[in-house]
Amino acid sequence: MNDLTTQFNGQPSTQQQGGVLAQASASREMEEVKGAIFLAKQFPRNYFESKKRILDACKRPSLAASSMYSYPRGGTKVTGPSIRLAEVLAQNWGNLSYGIKELEQRNGESVAMAYCWDLETNVRQEKVFTVKHSIGTRNGLKPLTDPRDIYERVASDGARRLRACILGVIPGDVVEMAVKECEKTLSGQNAGPLKDRITQALKMFKEKYKVTQEMVEAKFGYNISSFTEIDLVELGNIFNSLKDGMSKVEDWFTKEDAKNQKSDLAAEFEKGVTGVAETLTQSE
């Protein structure tokens, strides 16, 4: 009995073990940070090469198409670089540590932090925010219990904070340079005839957000046969805004107006994408 007591007393308690593990984890994280800073100092970014990589990335049509978001506010339109463009900027600028961390979960909500840290200059941006484990529906708030749903909710809310952190660290002139290069890529893009790309855009709005051709025409104020490259770019910005959660369908499109301004092409659109393409060809 005495031997067992001595052996038990000689072992650390569960609380002590937890403290040791936490201390070891903190020490390991500190060493990783020191290593990252050391490498950043040993291999500083080449500004010329960083800008060149960013410009090359912005020449990709797929990135340029998702590089901007826009949403209405107070009767005006607010636009800016999307999270996709911000991520590409961070990847190619180099020596940045950025991401989203969930700090804790409690009482049906998560406390998370988005951050971006320039390891060379020690400039850091971070935003701590709270995310409720619920999602808005037509019937009110719906609680989220599945860990995957909670993770996606935190990631979605964190993306906008992460974008702000990245854009707060990377110089503004570099961001403007990337935006202009994306605009040049869009204006000179030859991915196919304009009417085909408009048809594809209408199809995506219809399938993902139930936005019809009539609603798009009501928003722009004219028939899609009169659309130009600029209109298609603006339509893409609206789609990115909806996809990133920066705005809602109701902010852009009104069903009642669409019914009052129903065009001759509406019937063709309802029959299928082919009908729209044929009508556009005839209008030309």
Side-chain angles (χ1 to χ4, degrees), residues 200-240:
Q200 183 63 27
L202 292 174
K203 180 181 177 182
M204 293 173 63
F205 270 95
K206 176 76 173 182
E207 293 177 348
K208 191 170 182 64
Y209 299 109
K210 308 299 181 184
V211 173
T212 64
Q213 174 187 330
E214 301 81 44
M215 296 167 67
V216 173
E217 290 177 337
K219 184 261 182 296
F220 281 86
Y222 41 83
N223 194 284
I224 62 169
S225 60
S226 302
F227 274 28
T228 64
E229 288 282 354
I230 296 177
D231 296 317
L232 185 59
V233 170
E234 183 176 356
L235 200 60
N237 289 341
I238 294 174
F239 187 89
N240 292 332

Side-chain angles (χ1 to χ4, degrees), residues 113-164:
M113 177 181 69
Y115 67 94
C116 182
W117 183 13
D118 191 324
L119 299 173
E120 286 189 32
T121 62
N122 201 29
V123 173
R124 181 181 176 92
Q125 287 263 345
E126 67 177 43
K127 297 182 183 298
V128 178
F129 57 98
T130 302
V131 181
K132 298 290 185 181
H133 296 169
S134 59
I135 187 172
T137 65
R138 294 181 179 179
N139 299 323
L141 291 177
K142 175 185 176 183
L144 299 177
T145 56
D146 190 292
R148 180 177 179 179
D149 293 336
I150 294 174
Y151 166 79
E152 291 178 350
R153 175 68 174 171
V154 173
S156 176
D157 282 21
R160 293 189 290 274
R161 277 84 172 185
L162 178 60
R163 179 184 63 85

Side-chain angles (χ1 to χ4, degrees), residues 35-82:
I37 295 175
F38 174 78
L39 289 176
K41 295 294 186 180
Q42 289 294 109
F43 305 98
R45 73 175 58 91
N46 183 315
Y47 289 91
F48 176 80
E49 290 295 332
S50 297
K51 290 183 178 181
K52 183 177 183 298
R53 288 197 301 267
I54 291 173
L55 289 176
D56 288 342
C58 292
K59 291 177 182 177
R60 300 201 308 266
S62 58
L63 172 62
S66 61
S67 62
M68 299 292 292
Y69 71 82
S70 63
Y71 63 92
R73 176 187 290 174
T76 62
K77 182 173 67 173
V78 179
T79 63
S82 68

